[in-house]
Structures are given as structure tokens and as C-alpha cells.
Amino acid sequence: MLVSRSSISQLAGASERRRGRIAAAAACTAVVAAVALAGCSIQDDICSDGEYPVMTVGGTGSACVPDGEQPPKGYARYPQGKVPQKVDDEWDVYWRTHTLDESGKIIDAPDAG
């Protein structure tokens, strides 16, 4: 069987296009994986710049208060060293089931569930 030069060129061109598509698919997969992994490793701040977190007394609610202002009635500052900084960090998780009573003592939260 005799194969013409044009047939060989067509086969070579098809092979090159296939390799190009495979390379493009691999590059897209790598980009998607990188974005997904980066998105999972970024934690949101509890409060914005210029604010600090406060918690409800006797409950698990929280809010952010501008720096230099006192917490509103019914709220208290977190105890020193136990302030959540990022969503789902150690202290954010802890305060979902704990709170402060009126005297500032740490207690189990009655509304934790």
C-alpha cells in the first residue's frame, strides 16, 4: 500500500491538534485546581479593619464594634487571649458553644446546638 505525502501531513496535523487539545485541557485543569485549593485556604476575618469582635452575654451571638467604642448593651468583649480572628478559627468554634454570664464567667451556652 502506498501512502501519499498529503495523507501523512493530514495524520501529522491531526496528531498535533490532539496534543494541543490535551495540553490545553491539562492547563485548564491545573488552573481550576489551583483556584479551588486557594479558595479553601483563605479564611475570612471576623471583623473588618477598624473594628473588634464582641459577643452577646448569655448567648452565642456576636457583632463587630468600631475601634474606640464600647460594646453595646447586652454585649461584652471576648476574654483576652480568646478572641476569634478568623471565621472557623479555634476561638470562633469554641464560642459557638460557650458564652459569658453577667459576671464575665465563661459558661456553656444555653442556645448552643
Side-chain angles (χ1 to χ4, degrees):
M1 173 185 211
L2 193 57
V3 179
S4 69
R5 286 185 185 212
S6 65
S7 295
I8 293 173
S9 294
Q10 288 174 347
L11 288 173
S15 178
E16 289 296 320
R17 286 190 299 275
R18 191 173 310 118
R19 278 194 293 254
R21 285 193 298 263
I22 291 170
C28 285
T29 301
V31 168
V32 168
V35 168
L37 291 174
C40 292
S41 65
I42 297 173
Q43 288 182 295
D44 291 328
D45 291 333
I46 294 288
C47 293
S48 299
D49 286 342
E51 296 179 324
Y52 68 94
V54 294
M55 62 187 304
T56 55
V57 174
T60 58
S62 63
C64 294
V65 175
D67 290 342
E69 291 187 17
Q70 291 297 315
K73 184 176 181 174
Y75 287 83
R77 291 180 180 265
Y78 288 92
Q80 187 173 359
K82 298 180 180 183
V83 181
Q85 301 295 319
K86 303 281 184 184
V87 173
D88 292 332
D89 71 10
E90 174 188 5
W91 294 115
D92 185 39
V93 172
Y94 177 82
W95 291 113
R96 292 177 192 168
T97 56
H98 297 83
T99 190
L100 298 176
D101 66 12
E102 293 289 335
S103 65
K105 179 182 171 194
I106 296 173
I107 59 170
D108 288 337
D111 58 352

